[in-house]
Structures are given as C-alpha cells and as structure tokens.
Amino acid sequence: MTSPTLTDSAVPPAPGPGPHRSAMPVLAVLAGAAIAAVAAGAAFGPQHQTVSAAQTGDERLAESIRSLPGGFDGFRSLSVAEIGPDGAVFAGVGDADPGNPGAPDRDTVFELGSITKTFTGALFAEAVERGEVASDDHLSQYLSALEGTPAGDVTLASLSQHSSGLPGLGATAAADTLSNLLLNENPYASTTTEQLIADAAIAPVDPDQGVVYSNFAVSLLGTALVEAAGADDYAALLEERLTGPLGMDDTVVAATADDVPADAVPGFLLNGTRAPRWWGEGYLPAGSSTFTTASDVAIWAQANLDGTAPGAAALEPTASMGPGADIGWGWITSPSFDGAGTQTWHNGGTGGFRTFLTLDLEAGTAFIALSNTVATVDDVAVAYATGTPIPGPAEANAIVGWSAVALALIFGAIALIRALRAKSWLPSISDLAWAASGLLLLWTGGPWFTVGGWAWGIALAPSLAAVGVLILRSARGQRMPFLPGRRAWFWWPVAVLGLVAAVGATFLW
C-alpha cells in the first residue's frame, strides 16, 4: 500500500459556502431594504400634521385654542380672532409655512373659500337697495345670452338661496373637478366668465330638487350683479363697493395665477402634500380664489355686527335651507353651537384651506378661524364654543387608512416572496406593479391623521427588498427567462392591470 498523497481522498475537502453563508447576502438585502425604506418614509413620506408650539398674538386666546380638548391631528396652523364689544383679539398657533417657520399673525394671508359668498350676498342686497336689481328678477334680464334657456328663467333670489334648481357646478368645472383634484391641480382655472355663461346656457334646471348648495348659482348671481352695475368685473365691483369702503386692503380675488398674493401661506392636504393654488375668473363670486387675512375678516365681521357693512340686509333670513337652518343672501342662520341662541355664519374650503366665520348678532360677538390644511376647522369653532373635544378621524376613515397600510404590505410581501423564488421575470414585474399601486394609494389614503411617513416606509420595505433580491440574483448570474414556462397568457394581463392600477393611483397624488 502506498502512502497517501496530497491529492488522495484521505485529505478532507475544503469547506464550501454552505446554506448559511449563501443566505447572508439575501439577509443583508432584506435588512438594508427595511432600514432604507423606513428612513425614506420618515424623511420624505406623508406627514402627520399637527399644531406646533409656535404662537403669536393674544396669549390668552392662543392658550385657549391650544388647550381645546381632542387635539389638532390633521391641522398645521390656525389664525383665529374673537370679536366682542371691545373690539377684536387675534392669535395664531402652529407653523403655517415649512419654508418660513412661525405662527400666523393677524396679517398672514390665507385662502378664504366660500365665506366669499357672504360678500356676494352683500353686493346683492346693496344692488337691491340701489334699485339696480330686484330679488325676483330673472337671470336673463342681466345675462342676455341666457334668454330662452331654463337657467335664464331662475330668479336672482333663488341663486343666492341655493334653490334655483341648478346643479352645484357648471359642465366645465364639473368635468375638470374630478380629474384635476385627482391630479392635485386647480379645478377652476378653465372656467372664464364667458365659459360660465356658456355652461349656464346648457345647464339643466330641476325646480323640484330643493336646496342644493351651488357654486354655479352664486357665481352666476355675482356675474349678473357685475352686469347690472356696469362694472368691469367681479374684482372691481367687490373693491368698489365692499372691500375698499371697509378698508379690507389685504382682500383680493385671483382671476389669474398672477393675481395670487406672493405672501399667501401654502395649503396642505391631509397627507402633508402641498395643495394647488386655486384661481380662475368664472367662480370668483362663489369663493374659488379669495385671499385675505384674519384682520380683514374681522373688519367684515365687525361691520356686520354693528350694521355698517354694505348690504347688511343680506344677514336677514329669506328662506329655509333645511331642518334647523335658514338662509339670507349668502348668510346661513341656525342654532348656536351651545344651544343658547342663534348664529349667522358661513364656512369655506379650497384645495388646501378651511375657514369659518360665525356671528352672534344679539350678543355682538363673532369668532373667526382660518386653517391651511383640509382638516375641518368648523370643529375648532364648536370646541371653542362648547368645550366638546375636537374629533379625530372618523372611525370609517381610520379603517380605510389602516386598510391601505395592510393592502400595501400584502402586495409588497407577495412581491418579495415571489422574488425569492422567481424562475422568470414577468410574474415579479407584475407583483411589483401591484405593490407600487398599493403604495401610491397608501400615500394619499393612509392614516396620516395619526401617524407619519414611517408607516409608509414600513409598507415600502417588502417591495424595496423584492427589488433588491432580484438585483442580487441577477448579479450572481442567476439568469431567468422573461416569460414563465407555464401560464404566460395569465401573467400578461395581470402585469398590464397592475401597471394601469399604478398609473391610476399616481393621479391621486
């Protein structure tokens, strides 16, 4: 027998990589994806907005607002005013503009929204006083293009009372609203005054529909008042008869993008995404793009309380608006929040703002709240009047939000599992398309009332890990065919539908 040599089997073989060592790169990818996803979500994902510690103005009022029960989830800043017999007191809380930290003050510019309808109502009341129009005049008497149309036969009073039978929006704005809101763009830009009238000429009128809140109707009323007064446009009429005489110098309406005040604070959606600016000529009388300050709104409130406002007769109810509420020319009258009397009020909302103004005409007091997110600021007014908590997200909204988290996680987990086991590219591409759609839906519809972008990062982690695993497998030389060996006919439509869902969800941004 010969002695063993270095090449004989008696020498133990060198150790191979082994299962535990081959899994290490995959585990590293999974850990790295999880860390990167959560970090990216926290840094760049949706925001949990709430009112910061910053405040300005009257300390008592600021602390009264800040201490309201229920919290300020969904809000970013508030500019408020309390008007009483001794005048107006102002306060601001929260950071209004991330690019310029600090609480809003009495002169910070917000979008006003539909409180503008009280301006149009006052212009209507004053036009009646001047003898320029009568409340029962037909619209076609001032907009001749509507002669012989159903819209031309409605009365000016019914336009202000939301009882004209017209729809809430004209055809152009109605067509643009869904698509532009989904795309996070301005839905009113394409409706000029000329287009508003053209939409009215073809609009259906249903006299039996009852009260239907209508931006369309109030915009047509304002347009008729401009014609009756012989003014150049709504902005000119408003400045000549209302904001100018009252000294509301910081109140403007934006018919074009160039009319938007440069110092207006930005508005935000509930997920922290910056909302688009609204501007456009046609819907100015309804409040599509009015910019103002708490100081100017307080001037308006005080003038209506003491009877010196132009068109103060607009405050008087002229019709029922439904159970427990009446309406005058723009102003709504209903029981006060505490049930002790009545309030005359209006609220407003634009793409990224919510506002509220309420008057107690008997007591001579008023309260104003301006906010630059789409959380309902009416709730702040209720809490301030009654001490009841500001409600958080409705249970249904919370269910939808957390369901979106679960859906994104499920789609991501499926993509990761298949990436680890994949034998062809098309099924993984399909999974990643569906995972992307889930993440995009989560971006807009998640529980951002209560949590921040880290939750979006957690949902992103499995999808990001799936991408990393596929890249790792390719780097290791694990070549895969594009099409699976079986059921390629099935994966093509699944992949296409996933891509369509992802593109469609992108519009929701």
Side-chain angles (χ1 to χ4, degrees), residues 152-168:
D153 287 338
V154 304
T155 66
L156 301 185
S158 70
L159 295 171
S160 187
Q161 296 161 343
H162 301 286
S163 60
S164 66
L166 285 163

Side-chain angles (χ1 to χ4, degrees), residues 486-501:
R486 296 184 302 166
R487 297 196 301 171
W489 59 268
F490 170 78
W491 288 109
W492 275 117
V494 172
V496 170
L497 288 174
L499 290 170
V500 169

Side-chain angles (χ1 to χ4, degrees), residues 126-494:
E126 190 181 42
V128 171
E129 293 168 8
R130 289 170 177 258
E132 293 175 347
V133 302
S135 61
D136 58 356
D137 284 347
H138 292 167
L139 184 58
S140 61
Q141 292 177 236
Y142 305 98
L143 302 180
S144 59
L146 299 182
E147 290 182 4
T149 68
D153 287 338
V154 304
T155 66
L156 301 185
S158 70
L159 295 171
S160 187
Q161 296 161 343
H162 301 286
S163 60
S164 66
L166 285 163
L169 292 170
T172 301
D176 288 347
T177 294
L178 178 59
S179 62
N180 288 359
L181 288 179
L182 291 179
L183 291 166
N184 196 26
E185 295 180 355
N186 173 16
Y188 290 107
S190 59
T191 303
T192 62
T193 298
E194 182 180 2
Q195 186 60 55
L196 181 83
I197 297 171
D199 288 344
I202 61 171
V205 174
D206 180 2
D208 298 323
Q209 74 178 3
V211 174
V212 171
Y213 189 84
S214 178
N215 289 323
F216 190 32
V218 177
S219 296
L220 288 167
L221 172 63
T223 304
L225 296 175
V226 170
E227 292 297 320
D232 290 337
D233 51 33
Y234 182 79
L237 181 65
L238 183 67
E239 197 280 331
E240 176 189 338
R241 295 191 177 179
L242 196 152
T243 58
L246 290 177
M248 297 168 61
D249 298 331
D250 292 321
T251 300
V252 299
V253 291
T256 69
D258 291 339
D259 296 330
V260 174
D263 58 347
V265 296
F268 296 88
L269 306 180
L270 285 179
N271 65 354
T273 299
R274 189 169 293 207
R277 288 294 186 199
W278 282 8
W279 50 267
E281 181 185 53
Y283 283 84
L284 290 180
S288 62
S289 44
T290 301
F291 294 81
T292 192
T293 64
S295 181
D296 271 15
V297 180
I299 293 173
W300 177 234
Q302 186 65 67
N304 279 282
L305 289 173
D306 61 26
T308 61
L315 292 161
E316 293 297 323
T318 56
S320 171
M321 204 177 181
D326 294 322
I327 188 168
W329 304 145
W331 290 98
I332 301 167
T333 299
S334 64
S336 58
F337 293 132
D338 60 8
T342 60
Q343 61 177 336
T344 303
W345 61 278
H346 213 293
N347 56 9
T350 62
F353 293 79
R354 295 294 183 268
T355 60
F356 190 84
L357 167 61
T358 182
L359 312 174
D360 185 331
L361 297 175
E362 289 189 12
T365 61
F367 180 76
I368 299 160
L370 311 176
S371 169
N372 65 326
T373 72
V374 295
T376 305
V377 78
D378 303 38
D379 294 333
V380 176
V382 174
Y384 189 72
T386 66
T388 57
I390 300 170
E395 182 177 349
N397 292 337
I399 291 172
V400 169
W402 287 107
S403 296
V405 174
L407 184 67
L409 279 170
I410 290 170
F411 283 166
I414 292 171
L416 177 57
I417 292 169
R418 201 182 310 276
L420 291 166
R421 302 167 57 184
K423 296 181 180 179
S424 60
W425 283 102
L426 184 58
S428 284
I429 291 173
S430 170
D431 293 338
L432 289 172
W434 282 104
S437 70
L439 288 166
L440 292 168
L441 286 171
L442 175 60
W443 186 280
T444 56
W448 314 126
F449 253 117
T450 53
V451 298
W454 58 265
W456 190 83
I458 289 174
L460 170 65
S463 299
L464 188 61
V467 173
V469 167
L470 291 171
I471 293 173
L472 177 64
R473 292 184 63 178
S474 295
R476 285 177 156 184
Q478 296 180 15
R479 298 183 180 278
M480 295 188 297
F482 181 77
L483 294 176
R486 296 184 302 166
R487 297 196 301 171
W489 59 268
F490 170 78
W491 288 109
W492 275 117
V494 172

